[in-house]
Amino acid sequence: MDKKNALRAGALAAGTTLMMLLMSVPASALTRDDGDDPGTGLSVIETLGLFVVAPLVLFGVIAGLVMVLDKSKAEHRVLSPKSKPRAASKA
C-alpha cells in the first residue's frame, strides 16, 4: 500500500470514528426529553434471558430444524479434493 492509499484509509477511518462519536453523544445524555416515559428497568436475570438465552435458543431451534429437515443426498454433497467419496447406501 503506498502512502497516498494509506493516507486516504487513515482519513476515512478517522472521519468515520469522529462521526460515530458525534452521533452517539445524544445517546449518553442524562436529561430526559419531553414526553419521555421510561418503564421499569430489567433485572439481571431478565436481561441475560432476553439478550443471551433467547438468541441461543432461537439459534439452536433453527439449526436443529435445518439438520432434521435436510433432504440432500450424500452423492450431491461437495467434497474436498483430498477426501474420498462415501459409498452410497442402497435403501
Side-chain angles (χ1 to χ4, degrees), residues 6-80:
L7 185 61
R8 186 177 296 151
L12 181 66
T16 304
T17 304
L18 180 64
M19 287 304 294
M20 289 177 69
L21 285 172
L22 289 174
M23 296 297 285
S24 67
V25 170
S28 62
L30 295 176
T31 58
R32 295 283 179 206
D33 292 331
D34 290 338
D36 192 13
D37 189 20
T40 58
L42 296 175
S43 69
V44 173
I45 300 299
E46 290 171 333
T47 303
L48 288 175
L50 187 61
F51 295 107
V52 176
V53 176
L56 288 175
V57 168
L58 188 61
F59 176 80
V61 167
I62 293 171
L65 286 172
V66 168
M67 289 190 301
V68 168
L69 300 175
D70 183 22
K71 302 286 186 198
S72 65
K73 295 182 170 66
E75 59 266 12
H76 293 177
R77 295 201 178 122
V78 177
L79 301 173
S80 65

